[in-house]
């Protein structure tokens, strides 16, 4: 019977025999097929549980789940009811326009999010499709989903590990676990038991589901499958991580609720004012007053806001996609622009996850190699002051030849660049040889391989035997491995072309040089050789016994270096007020070196996962506020770091490419996954995927997000000030009707309520001015200083107090100017006019439209002059011209004159309306001038 404690045991602490006993299995025969079926019924399939994808209808309905959109639907229904009562136009144009805007908003949001889902890789099966397993003593190939605890699996170079397992045998086995643990180099595996407390990255006797074997072979007993595996537990953390609304979503919902209350208050105030002041008593007049109040309330709602927000975010998504940043959630476009912290994974994000040789040290000196990654682009940089350069050149060439020959990796150029098949460390050695001008055909022609002694974790060496076309009488044995181990097999050292004895002093110097390279977080290998008479090994039967009397050539130091563009990106983020943190599962020394190269503060030291685990919440909050580099952290540590940052009020963007990054990606305000090297799990958890895996793309996306947010503020400033202008015009017009000639004009026209504007005119103004001009503001070019401003504070609204003051001021100017034009146009007011009520209302109608068209240029900034780059946005100029022409049609087209109760205006009338309407520009310019002066005084 299978013990219940299997899932919770720690097999890395136990011997292989003890684990087999606990699991009731046999290293040679495995489980029986019948027992495997019984266990599968208990443990279920070896699969990672995934959330079912949302259906298309669900995604479409989600587009309507907004207070503003629901308010618009209600406004459209009310507008349709008004039309049914009055029948003043052939069709309910305003209602149709509102419903069209709502539908357009939903369709645009749906299409963009669906497109992003297709562009971002969908969550696919994480584990291997098949596994080689021993059952009933026979080796079978089965679906990996059928594996159960106790199965004995075979692992070979190139395999994807199908389940978590305890190693029973390991022959030179190395696995790449970067996606799971963050370790940037292959991990050598062993079968020996380990002490308690070893982190997953240090459990050399375990293999993990979803990782890859790159060298050697082995045998393991399955200890965990499906959601009980390490990868499954990470997937569980992803499901538990909260998915909060973005700052923009929260703010628009708040604005929607506020506007809803304002709309109800306006409707009630206007209706009550008219009923009390005008003495309306009969039912038809009461109904007309109710219709007017509702129409004014509808006008107070910025119908274009949801559609413009969706359109602006959609256009931003498309621009980001062209710049290699694929956004999966529409509202996340803006969130990145408000980020105050970018918490980045190291391996594959700040670095390329491509080992690169940085230094070669020989008897005559040291050489640096330029270039990053697997592309053989770079050169050897020799010291300027060098006594014997020819000797150093010969030694470095021999070292790189030896490293390239004692090698089983393959470097290939594909459509997306160079890739390494095999051990990444060996791939880096091949790339270094190519940088030195050593081509594969030339080396193959001279040094053909005859035999190999594979690497083993016990020997820590690998050797290959080669013929030498230039010296047929001799064979060459080349060996690479751990420098301290290799030195013990060496009796000589190469100096120039000569072989000299290796004394104690030189051995100590070589070990000191090795320590110095390790201090720079370089992984080191030593290379050596030995010439053997050809007749002794004619069949290539080389063994470990031949790894003696070697001639030491030199040390090779390598690392996964920072991306060349990452340092500039970190500096640009810092200039924008954004703090960069590094979170990695790699070694603390490696993290510190990479951080220093990138300019990430590391003076206070590196915080390890063990230290994080020992801290309580308050202690972690203090650490996170000061420290920027975190190493040997697991997924739960990353989640705690993100939570601490958010408690401190930070807006957190988390970047990563591995499965171990996925929970933090989902918990962050915005998660950013790598598209090329990223795992499917990290992409699924992220809000944005970088198609080029380029950290610098994040900074460009931040700039785009900030520009989008600035544009959202621009059209909010425009829409709300324009709508407040309409409301104030109506309310003040009713209150001042007797003083500005409205009451007298209404009496002359046959009685009724004296109104500055008719309901249809109010709705037309919204239809014409809330659409194209607002959308054009949403694509206004980014301000030049967008990446030199600090990020906005968490909790800071889209509309600030300063913005509200400007909005109300502009609305008051509009109302005052419009009422002044009415007074000029009608008899019986403060200034005697001579027009009819229809003429006065048409003049007010035109003035208010022109006010809003002038105001669109004001709205481009709260502080900068409207005359700064006035022609930078050609779409805005076209939108203003189009709105002007549409309004002209209402004044001069007979069918529209009848529908909107307008009369034609003369050129003099147009000049008067334009002159008054332009006052919104001049008064706002004075406001901005005072604001700039006040800000300069505060800075001084």
């Amino acid at each position: 019977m299978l013990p219940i404690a299997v899932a919770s045991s720690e097999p890395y602490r136990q011997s292989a025999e003890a684990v087999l006993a606990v699991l009731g299995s046999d290293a040679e025969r495995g489980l029986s097929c019948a027992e495997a079926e019984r266990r599968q019924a208990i443990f279920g399939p070896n699969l990672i549980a995934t959330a079912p994808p949302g259906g298309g209808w669900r995604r479409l309905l989600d587009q309507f789940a907004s207070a503003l959109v629901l308010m618009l639907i209600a406004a459209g229904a009310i507008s349709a009811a008004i039309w049914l009562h009055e029948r003043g136009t052939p069709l309910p144009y305003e209602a149709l326009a509102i419903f069209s805007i709502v539908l357009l908003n939903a369709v645009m949001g749906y299409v963009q999010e669906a497109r992003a889902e297709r562009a971002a890789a969908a969550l696919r099966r994480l584990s291997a499709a098949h596994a080689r397993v021993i059952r009933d003593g026979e080796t079978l190939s089965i679906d990996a989903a059928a594996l159960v605890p106790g199965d004995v699996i075979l692992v070979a170079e190139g395999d994807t590990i199908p389940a978590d397992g305890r190693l029973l045998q390991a022959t030179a086995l190395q696995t790449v676990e970067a996606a799971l643990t963050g370790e940037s180099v292959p991990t050598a595996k062993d079968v020996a038991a380990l002490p308690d407390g070893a982190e997953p990255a240090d459990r050399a006797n375990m293999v993990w589901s979803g990782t890859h074997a790159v060298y050697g072979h082995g045998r393991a007993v399955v200890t965990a499958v499906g959601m009980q595996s390490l990868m499954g537990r990470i997937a569980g953390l992803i499901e538990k991580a909260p998915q909060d609304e973005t700052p923009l979503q929260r703010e628009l919902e708040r604005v929607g609720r506020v506007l809803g209350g304002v709309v109800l208050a306006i409707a009630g105030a206007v209706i009550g004012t008219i009923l009390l002041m005008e003495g309306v008593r009969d039912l038809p007049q009461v109904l007309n007053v109710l219709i007017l109040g509702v129409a004014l309330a509808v006008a107070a709602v910025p119908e274009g806001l949801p559609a413009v927000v969706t359109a602006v975010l959609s256009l931003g998504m498309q621009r980001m996609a062209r710049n290699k940043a694929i956004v999966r959630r529409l509202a996340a476009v803006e969130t990145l622009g408000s980020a105050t912290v970018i918490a980045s994974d190291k391996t594959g994000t700040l670095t390329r996850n491509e080992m690169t040789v940085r230094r070669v040290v020989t008897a005559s000196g040291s050489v640096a190699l330029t270039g990053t990654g697997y592309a053989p682009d770079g050169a050897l940089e020799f010291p300027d002051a060098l006594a014997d350069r020819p000797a150093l050149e010969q030694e470095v060439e021999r070292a790189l030849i030896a490293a390239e020959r004692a090698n089983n990796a393959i470097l290939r150029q594909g459509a997306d660049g160079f890739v390494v098949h095999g051990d990444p460390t060996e791939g880096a050695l091949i790339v270094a040889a190519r940088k030195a001008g050593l081509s594969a055909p030339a080396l193959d022609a001279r040094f053909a391989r005859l035999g190999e002694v594979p690497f083993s974790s016990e020997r820590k060496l690998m050797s290959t035997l080669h013929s030498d076309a230039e010296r047929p009488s001799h064979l060459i044995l080349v060996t690479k491995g751990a420098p301290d181990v290799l030195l013990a097999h060496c009796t000589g050292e190469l100096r120039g072309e000569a072989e000299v004895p290796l004394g104690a002093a030189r051995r100590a110097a070589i070990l000191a040089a090795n320590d110095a390279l390790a201090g720079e977080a370089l992984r080191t290998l030593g290379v050596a050789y030995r010439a053997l008479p050809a007749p002794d090994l004619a069949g290539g039967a080389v063994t470990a016994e031949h790894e003696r009397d070697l001639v030491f050539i030199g040390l090779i130091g390598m690392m996964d270096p920072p991306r060349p563009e990452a340092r500039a990106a970190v500096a640009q983020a810092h200039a924008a007020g954004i703090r960069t943190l590094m979170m990695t599962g790699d070694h603390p020394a490696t993290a510190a070196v990479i951080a220093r190269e990138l300019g990430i503060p590391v003076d206070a030291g590196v915080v390890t996962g063990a230290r994080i685990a020992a801290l309580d919440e308050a202690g972690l909050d203090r650490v996170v506020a000061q420290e920027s580099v975190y190493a040997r952290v697991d997924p739960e540590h990353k989640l705690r770091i993100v939570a601490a940052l958010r408690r401190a009020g930070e807006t957190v963007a988390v970047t990563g490419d591995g499965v171990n990054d996925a929970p933090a990606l989902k918990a962050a305000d915005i998660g950013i996954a790598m598209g090329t090297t990223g795992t499917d799990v990290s992409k699924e958890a992220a809000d944005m995927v970088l198609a080029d895996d380029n950290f610098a793309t994040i900074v460009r996306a931040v700039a785009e997000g900030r520009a989008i947010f600035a544009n959202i503020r621009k059209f909010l400033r425009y829409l709300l000030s324009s709508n407040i202008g309409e409301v104030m015009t109506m309310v003040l017009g009713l209150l001042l009707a007797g003083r500005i000639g409205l009451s007298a004009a209404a009496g002359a026209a046959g009685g009724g309520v004296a109104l500055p504007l008719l309901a249809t005119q109010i709705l037309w103004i919204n239809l014409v001015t809330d659409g194209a001009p607002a959308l054009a503001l949403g694509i206004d070019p980014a301000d030049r200083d967008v990446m030199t401003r600090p990020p906005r504070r968490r909790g800071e609204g889209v509309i600030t107090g300063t913005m509200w003051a400007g909005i109300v001021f502009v609305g008051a100017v509009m109302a005052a100017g419009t009422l002044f034009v009415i007074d000029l146009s009608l008899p019986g007011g403060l200034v005697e006019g001579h027009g009819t009520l229809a003429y006065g209302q048409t003049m007010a109608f035109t003035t208010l439209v022109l006010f809003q068209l002038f105001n669109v240029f004001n709205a481009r900034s709260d502080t900068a002059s409207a005359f700064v780059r006035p022609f930078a946005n050609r779409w805005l100029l076209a939108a203003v011209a189009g709105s002007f022409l549409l309004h002209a049609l209402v004044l001069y087209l007979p069918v529209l004159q009848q529908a909107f109760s307008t009369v034609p205006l003369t050129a003099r009338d147009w000049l008067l309306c334009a002159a008054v309407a332009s006052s919104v520009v001049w008064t706002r310019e004075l406001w901005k001038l005072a604001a700039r002066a006040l800000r300069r005084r505060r800075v001084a």
Side-chain angles (χ1 to χ4, degrees):
M1 294 295 291
L2 186 66
I4 296 175
V6 168
S8 61
S9 64
E10 295 289 0
Y12 73 90
R13 297 183 302 174
Q14 305 171 27
S15 67
E17 293 77 13
V19 174
L20 282 168
V22 169
L23 291 168
S25 188
D26 183 271
E28 301 300 325
R29 294 190 56 79
L31 298 174
S32 67
C33 292
E35 176 64 12
E37 287 183 12
R38 189 185 73 80
R39 294 189 183 190
Q40 180 130 59
I42 298 172
F43 291 98
N46 177 32
L47 296 173
I48 302 298
T50 59
W57 281 107
R58 175 63 181 271
R59 186 185 293 126
L60 182 61
L61 290 175
D62 285 345
Q63 309 303 318
F64 297 95
S66 159
L68 270 175
V69 172
L70 294 174
M71 193 188 307
L72 282 181
I73 293 172
I78 292 168
S79 181
I82 293 172
W83 176 82
L84 284 172
H85 172 74
E86 293 190 338
R87 299 281 184 172
T89 58
L91 290 171
Y93 296 116
E94 174 69 16
L96 290 175
I98 291 174
F99 289 135
S100 297
I101 288 169
V102 169
L103 185 59
L104 177 65
N105 171 68
V107 170
M108 288 175 65
Y110 173 84
V111 169
Q112 287 299 329
E113 291 187 5
R115 182 183 297 169
E117 283 296 322
R118 290 193 298 269
L123 181 62
R124 295 185 293 271
R125 191 181 310 175
L126 304 177
S127 46
H130 290 85
R132 288 187 301 139
V133 61
I134 298 175
R135 286 183 179 172
D136 289 323
E138 296 183 6
T139 300
L140 307 173
S141 179
I142 66 171
D143 191 325
L147 286 175
V148 296
D151 265 327
V152 175
I153 57 174
L154 302 178
V155 179
E157 180 178 327
D159 287 351
T160 297
I161 309 300
D164 289 0
R166 171 63 163 87
L167 282 169
L168 307 175
Q169 299 173 12
T171 303
L173 181 63
Q174 296 183 36
T175 62
V176 172
E177 300 175 351
L180 199 62
T181 65
E183 191 69 59
S184 58
V185 296
T187 302
K189 294 297 181 179
D190 202 339
V191 298
L194 295 170
D196 190 20
E199 297 291 335
D202 300 320
R203 297 177 189 175
N205 58 13
M206 299 290 295
V207 289
W208 307 110
S209 175
T211 61
H212 304 277
V214 294
Y215 198 86
H217 57 86
R219 179 178 296 202
V221 58
V222 173
T223 57
V225 296
M227 295 301 290
Q228 295 300 317
S229 67
L230 182 58
M231 184 172 289
R233 295 200 296 274
I234 294 173
L237 290 175
I238 298 172
E239 291 303 313
K240 294 175 185 176
Q243 186 65 63
D244 290 344
E245 290 182 324
T246 68
L248 180 62
Q249 287 174 319
R250 290 193 295 268
E251 182 62 14
L252 289 181
E253 283 297 310
R254 189 184 70 82
V255 169
R257 290 192 297 270
V258 170
L259 284 178
V262 170
V263 162
L264 293 175
I266 288 170
V270 170
I271 292 169
T273 300
I274 297 174
L275 291 177
L276 290 174
M277 295 186 63
E278 299 293 333
V280 176
R281 294 292 181 267
D282 59 279
L283 184 60
Q285 284 192 330
V286 170
L287 188 55
N288 285 330
V289 170
L290 292 174
I291 290 170
L292 174 67
V294 171
L296 186 58
V298 170
V301 179
E303 290 96 333
L305 180 57
V308 172
V309 169
T310 302
V312 169
L313 294 179
S314 300
L315 292 170
M317 285 179 75
Q318 293 173 17
R319 285 194 299 271
M320 286 184 174
R322 288 195 293 270
N323 289 319
K324 308 298 185 182
I326 299 167
V327 180
R328 298 179 62 242
R329 289 198 304 130
L330 201 59
V333 174
E334 172 273 333
T335 309
L336 190 60
S338 62
T340 58
V341 174
I342 299 177
S344 176
D345 178 43
K346 176 186 73 68
T347 306
T349 307
L350 292 167
T351 70
R352 296 175 62 91
N353 196 18
E354 296 178 356
M355 293 296 290
T356 304
V357 173
R358 302 289 290 268
R359 194 81 58 81
V360 179
V361 179
T362 66
S364 299
S366 172
V367 171
L369 281 79
T370 63
T372 301
Y374 294 149
D377 301 325
L380 278 62
E381 292 185 339
F382 290 84
D384 294 331
L386 187 62
D388 192 0
R389 175 163 175 161
L392 180 58
E393 288 178 345
Q394 291 168 347
E395 293 161 10
V396 170
E397 181 177 286
R398 293 283 288 274
L400 292 178
I401 289 174
E404 197 271 357
R405 292 290 86 185
N407 203 308
N408 288 321
I410 300 173
L411 178 68
R412 287 200 177 100
Q413 184 173 12
D416 297 324
F418 287 87
V419 294
V420 166
H421 298 278
D423 186 341
T425 299
E426 293 192 336
L429 298 174
I430 295 175
V431 173
R434 301 294 176 264
K435 291 177 181 178
L438 302 170
S439 68
L443 294 177
D444 289 340
R446 180 177 174 184
F447 301 108
R449 181 184 288 199
L450 302 177
E452 175 185 353
V453 184
F455 173 88
S456 72
S457 56
E458 292 79 18
R459 289 171 35 252
K460 296 185 179 179
L461 299 174
M462 173 195 179
S463 298
T464 54
L465 183 68
H466 303 266
S467 61
D468 186 348
E470 295 185 4
R471 298 178 62 196
S473 61
H474 286 75
L475 302 178
I476 304 294
L477 180 75
V478 291
T479 304
K480 74 175 193 297
D484 54 338
V485 176
L486 182 62
L487 275 175
H489 294 257
C490 295
T491 57
E493 182 181 19
L494 183 70
R495 187 177 293 275
E497 292 186 342
E499 298 176 5
V500 299
L502 184 63
R506 277 299 300 156
R507 289 178 187 274
I510 291 169
L511 290 175
N514 184 63
D515 291 341
L517 292 176
E520 298 175 23
L522 296 178
R523 184 186 186 193
T524 57
L525 286 174
V527 287
Y529 75 97
R530 178 188 179 191
L532 297 168
D536 292 358
L537 291 168
V542 64
T543 67
E545 296 297 321
H546 294 96
E547 295 173 337
R548 57 184 174 80
D549 299 327
L550 300 174
V551 178
F552 188 79
I553 308 174
L555 298 168
I556 299 175
M558 66 190 75
M559 70 184 306
D560 177 19
R563 294 174 177 271
E565 66 280 359
R567 181 177 179 85
V570 169
Q572 190 176 1
H574 178 72
I578 302 170
R579 183 181 168 207
T580 301
L581 270 60
M582 179 193 294
M583 302 190 302
T584 178
D586 214 336
H587 194 278
T590 305
V593 169
I594 297 295
R596 288 191 186 96
E597 289 197 25
L598 291 173
I600 298 174
V602 72
D603 297 338
V606 178
V607 181
T608 63
R611 182 181 171 191
I612 293 171
L615 290 170
D616 60 14
E617 194 171 280
L620 182 60
D621 288 349
R622 289 192 294 271
V623 167
V624 167
Q626 299 173 359
E627 313 293 350
S628 298
V629 182
Y630 302 84
R632 282 288 190 253
V633 292
D634 64 23
E636 292 189 29
H637 298 147
K638 292 184 178 183
L639 273 177
R640 289 192 66 199
I641 292 169
V642 171
L645 288 167
R646 298 189 71 194
R647 282 197 300 272
E650 307 285 3
T651 298
V652 186
V654 172
T655 75
D657 66 340
V659 175
N660 59 324
D661 300 315
L665 289 174
K666 187 174 180 183
D669 291 288
I670 182 165
I672 307 166
M674 303 295 113
T676 302
T677 59
T679 59
D680 296 322
V681 182
S682 65
K683 295 175 192 176
E684 179 67 16
D687 301 293
M688 189 172 86
V689 178
L690 300 182
D692 61 354
D693 288 10
N694 191 336
F695 186 83
T697 301
I698 299 170
V699 179
R700 291 195 295 271
V702 167
E704 183 69 45
R706 288 190 174 189
I708 287 169
F709 183 76
N711 287 349
I712 289 172
R713 276 186 163 167
K714 290 175 186 178
F715 64 68
L716 276 172
R717 189 182 296 121
Y718 167 69
L719 289 173
L720 294 176
S721 60
S722 296
N723 286 21
I724 284 178
E726 297 169 24
V727 172
M728 293 178 75
T729 297
M730 292 299 293
V731 173
L732 293 176
L734 289 168
L735 294 174
L736 301 174
R739 292 181 175 271
I740 60 176
L742 265 176
S743 296
V753 180
L755 299 173
L757 296 167
L758 299 177
T760 52
Q761 292 171 347
I762 295 171
L763 298 175
W764 174 257
I765 293 173
N766 271 26
L767 181 62
V768 170
T769 61
D770 277 13
L775 180 58
L777 272 179
I779 55 174
D780 208 40
D783 297 333
R784 290 169 180 164
D785 64 343
V786 69
M787 286 302 285
T788 58
R789 307 171 191 162
R792 77 180 192 273
R793 297 182 304 277
R794 189 180 186 91
E796 178 182 310
V798 178
I799 307 173
T800 63
T802 302
M803 277 182 66
W804 274 120
I807 287 167
V808 173
F809 173 77
V810 168
V813 170
M814 287 185 180
T818 303
L819 296 178
F820 174 68
V821 168
I822 290 177
D823 194 6
L824 286 177
S825 304
L826 298 176
L830 297 173
V831 181
E832 191 66 26
H834 305 284
T836 63
L837 179 61
Y839 171 74
Q841 289 173 333
T842 302
M843 288 289 285
F845 185 26
T846 301
T847 302
L848 197 49
V849 167
L850 294 179
F851 259 128
Q852 298 192 15
L853 297 184
F854 276 115
N855 184 42
V856 77
F857 297 99
N858 278 333
R860 295 180 66 206
S861 174
D862 241 351
T863 56
S865 170
F867 300 100
V868 174
R869 297 194 298 161
F871 305 113
N873 189 342
R874 291 175 295 177
W875 291 107
L876 183 60
L877 299 174
V880 169
S883 297
F884 179 82
L885 290 175
L886 284 173
H887 182 69
L889 291 177
V890 171
L891 300 190
Y892 299 108
L893 203 62
V895 65
L896 293 178
Q897 285 177 342
Q898 182 179 2
F900 292 96
S901 304
T902 59
V903 297
L905 298 182
T906 65
R908 179 179 174 279
D909 295 332
W910 277 103
L911 286 174
L912 174 62
C913 294
V916 173
S918 68
S919 65
V920 77
V921 175
W922 310 116
T923 53
R924 189 72 167 119
E925 284 296 302
L926 292 173
W927 175 292
K928 292 178 182 180
L929 184 64
R932 291 195 297 270
L934 182 61
R935 187 170 59 180
R936 284 194 297 269
R937 190 177 301 117
R938 285 175 178 169
V939 171

